[in-house]
Amino acid sequence: MTVWDSLLYDLFPLIWSGMITGCLYALGALGLVMIFKCSKVVNFSHGNVAGLTAFLVYGLSSGVLMSLSWGAAVLVAMLAAVAIAFLIYSIISPVVFESDLTSTIATLGFGLIAQGVTLLMFGADIVALDLPIPRFAFSVLGLFVTGYDLTVLAVAIVTIGALFIVIDYTKLGIAFRAISENPFAAEVCGLNLRSVHYFAWITAAILGVIGALLIVPTTFLSVTTVATFMLQAFAAAVIGGFASLPGALVGGVLIGILMNLFTFYVSPEYSSTFLLGVILVALNIFPNGILQKVGGSRV
Amino acid sequence: MSDQVSHMPSPPSALSRLSGLATPGVTAVVLVTLLLFLPALLGGSWTFTLGLCFANSIGVLAVSLLVRYGGEVSIGHTFFTALGAYSVGVLDTRYGISLWASVPLALVLGVAFGLLFAWPSRNLHGIYLAVTTLALALAVPEMINNFDGLTGGYEGLYVATPFLPGVDMGAQRYYVALAMLVLVCFAVARLRLSRQGMALLLAKTHPAAADAFGTRRVWARISVMGISGGVGALCGATLAFSGSTVSPGGFTFWQAIFLLVGSVVSFYGLSLPRVLIGGAFVTLVPQLLSASGAWIPVLYGLALLGMILIGHYMPRIRKALNRNRETG
């Protein structure tokens, strides 16, 4: 009886809310994987740039910089994110074709700059940034479902669905897959590597902004919130194999649920250590990602 | 043949003869002699800061070692520095044991954990190690604060037991760091000439050739991380002794990235002058900019990018200039 009760009242809600946040980790992870798949760069600036744009939304809508409506602020921040992604890729693109290691280190530099700019513009204060969504809640089968949950789910499904449709059915998506599969052959066939890389970097930036805006209401917004959120996205990408978009999606949801269970049943103080453990174990068990069979190594 | 003749060097000028004298060994000896006498000229606070510079230089060397020998990047070397620093701090404050015992312990722990963390990604692309170290860097402050029974939590530990009893502590903090740095640099220089070092480099640049000669790629990759982890732990041990305090503030995620920035700023150099530049950058920039904290990440980011772009464009520019000179 008590076991069943605790399952009903703890476990299922934990899995549900873990799945909701997991969708957001997946959004972050999808961006990382898109960039890695085609340009072989791990974008360590992903979290800090997304954090900066979330702060821009706050600054533009709260009156710190301007007092626009929320929608207009998001639009401006999206444009800023696209511009930043464009700028970052433009600066490092000569290095990208030479050494993926050096360009990965270069993204850390952009991460540092984004962090510093956030500090310079908005200070180290903690601010609240909410979503303009109707507040309602109901309960189904013991699950407590809020308007926030449904919004996140809807946005995630629409965004990820749109992304997969673009990648599966459009010419751009086919070019993206061709370049991820074999850049040299794709270039021989007349594809422009750079423009497809731009597509990946800009899409990733937009996914990052969406993820950041949706995660912030659950906590608060500070210089480090979004960067920490992105560690979960990195873990999700690793579980998915770092080169698989569906893998990133599954990894994100899995990380969301695991993190929720761990913080509830074990300890909230060791969450980063737990993630480290998850990454190490996942690398040992699924070196090629959770959706692929364990087979030959990929060095 | 004719190609070689046309590139015969012109008769050496006085300057180039002088720079020809400055082999790496000679430069290092001159530099060390200078550093040996520097405390006599400088005040106590500068001597202290220089000690920290030496300690951080070892950390920069650890990161550069991983890049040069393994072709991999770590943004979590604070784990190893923390490991070394807390080995020294805990043995000192709890048991009163000085560096004689705690430095070897730090080295062993650093190597062991380096191997441990490299193992899961041994067969995979280098980015997996980078992501692992990212998680490592974020987990370090958490671990330190939660094991506060051992580590002293936020307050940290104070290292006071002298290395050589009876000698002035301020001088010890400087000279132990210098000696450690010189020893590590010397060991790394010897590694470059050793069979093991050659095998590691071969496994990095020509994996197939290394396989043919019997050096397994997996072995090479995890042992590079082991060596780098050990050097990182030595950096931490030196940092603890020369900085006299060990607290979580020294092992944040940003500190880990700063070590990498130091490594990039020194162009991943492994020689004594190069790592000193990296260490000085890591130590001095935060001190000079302490009044305007938000500019520190911006400056580090710009320095990182600047060095990478210089590293990318410099050879091209030089080549273009040479071509102009030859045709002109």
Side-chain angles (χ1 to χ4, degrees), chain B residues 249-276:
Chain B
F251 309 103
T252 58
F253 175 53
W254 294 108
Q255 194 60 35
I257 293 186
F258 291 168
L259 280 182
L260 180 67
V261 176
S263 163
V264 174
V265 166
S266 60
F267 275 128
Y268 315 115
L270 301 177
S271 65
L272 187 64
R274 289 274 200 93
V275 298
L276 267 175

Side-chain angles (χ1 to χ4, degrees), chain A residues 25-48:
Chain A
Y25 299 153
L27 280 180
L30 284 171
L32 293 170
V33 170
M34 275 193 81
I35 291 179
F36 179 72
K37 251 177 102 84
C38 70
S39 55
K40 298 288 171 274
V41 177
V42 183
N43 183 10
F44 282 114
S45 67
H46 201 49
N48 288 322

Side-chain angles (χ1 to χ4, degrees), chain A residues 45-61:
Chain A
S45 67
H46 201 49
N48 288 322
V49 171
L52 175 61
T53 47
F55 257 106
L56 272 182
V57 172
Y58 160 78
L60 291 171
S61 61

Side-chain angles (χ1 to χ4, degrees), chain B residues 77-89:
Chain B
H77 256 59
T78 41
F79 177 84
F80 300 104
T81 55
L83 204 61
Y86 278 97
S87 313
V88 170

Side-chain angles (χ1 to χ4, degrees), chain A residues 33 36 236-244 247-248 286-290 298, chain B residues 127-128:
Chain A
V33 170
F36 179 72
V238 166
I239 286 187
F242 232 106
S244 148
F286 322 109
N288 290 327
I290 196 163
R298 185 184 50 193
Chain B
I127 55 118
Y128 289 87

